[in-house]
Amino acid sequence: MVGRYETYDDLLAYCALSANPVGRLVLGITGTETPERIRRSDEICTALQIVEHLQDVAEDLGRDRIYLPAEDLKRFHVTEDDLARPTAGASVRALIAFEAERARALLHAGVPLVGSVRGRLRLLLAGFTAGGLAALDAITDAGYDVLTGPPGPTKPSLLRRAGAVLLRARGEG
């Protein structure tokens, strides 16, 4: 098993094999797959995988895994020792903010998928997307210090995000 990823593209390739098949399976089971929906689903699933990695930086390091691309660690001057500290310094926080923004952009890019389907599937997809956005809000609210423990979304934040995703999806669906 690979425990490190040199580039962001390498991380995306990992997500294409680990997270994206789940979304594709859901679309296939519901008979709603189209090339556009698959692309949007991949954006959401990749983003959710990245969000999970951001929440679990300390836990993953304890298992000798780092899902932050090495090129980004270098760019932000972050070492493995920095990731092993009890709290995040400024360089780690800047790196997490950068990666969180990438995930946020992917989630927003995937929102049209929510508006392109109906019924329970729409609610399910809105919930997953909102969960990712609310988790990113929690990471932001923690000042991007994910080393003290995984920041988790609050129920009110999740509900607000779900409503916002459904409203935005209605306009794009």
Side-chain angles (χ1 to χ4, degrees):
M1 179 177 173
V2 176
R4 307 279 190 286
Y5 296 88
E6 185 60 35
T7 67
Y8 183 66
D9 285 341
D10 292 341
L11 181 62
L12 294 179
Y14 165 75
C15 293
L17 297 175
S18 65
N20 298 0
V22 176
R24 289 173 179 226
L25 184 63
V26 169
L27 293 175
I29 289 171
T30 59
T32 57
E33 61 189 337
T34 66
E36 176 69 10
R37 285 179 176 150
I38 289 170
R39 184 174 68 78
R40 300 291 186 181
S41 173
D42 287 353
E43 291 166 334
I44 292 170
C45 291
T46 293
L48 292 174
Q49 182 83 59
I50 291 170
V51 170
E52 182 180 343
H53 292 325
L54 294 177
Q55 290 175 304
D56 295 338
V57 168
E59 180 182 325
D60 287 335
L61 184 62
R63 293 183 175 142
D64 197 31
R65 295 184 302 222
I66 298 176
Y67 294 102
L68 302 165
E71 67 184 2
D72 296 339
L73 291 167
K74 291 174 195 155
R75 177 180 174 187
F76 287 90
H77 308 287
V78 172
T79 66
E80 287 190 32
D81 287 343
D82 294 328
L83 298 177
R85 297 181 194 273
T87 59
S91 59
V92 171
R93 289 172 190 251
L95 170 62
I96 298 301
F98 176 75
E99 303 298 348
E101 191 49 44
R102 283 177 154 172
R104 189 179 308 278
L106 284 169
L107 285 168
H108 286 302
V111 166
L113 173 64
V114 178
S116 76
V117 297
R118 302 286 173 250
R120 288 185 181 154
L121 183 56
R122 177 180 262 188
L123 294 176
L124 177 73
L125 295 174
F128 282 129
T129 305
L133 291 167
L136 288 169
D137 291 344
I139 290 170
T140 302
D141 291 347
Y144 303 102
D145 186 358
V146 296
L147 302 183
T148 59
T154 64
K155 191 171 185 177
S157 172
L158 181 58
L159 292 172
R160 276 192 306 276
R161 281 296 190 171
V165 166
L166 286 167
L167 282 173
R168 183 170 166 216
R170 185 190 314 162
E172 295 181 14

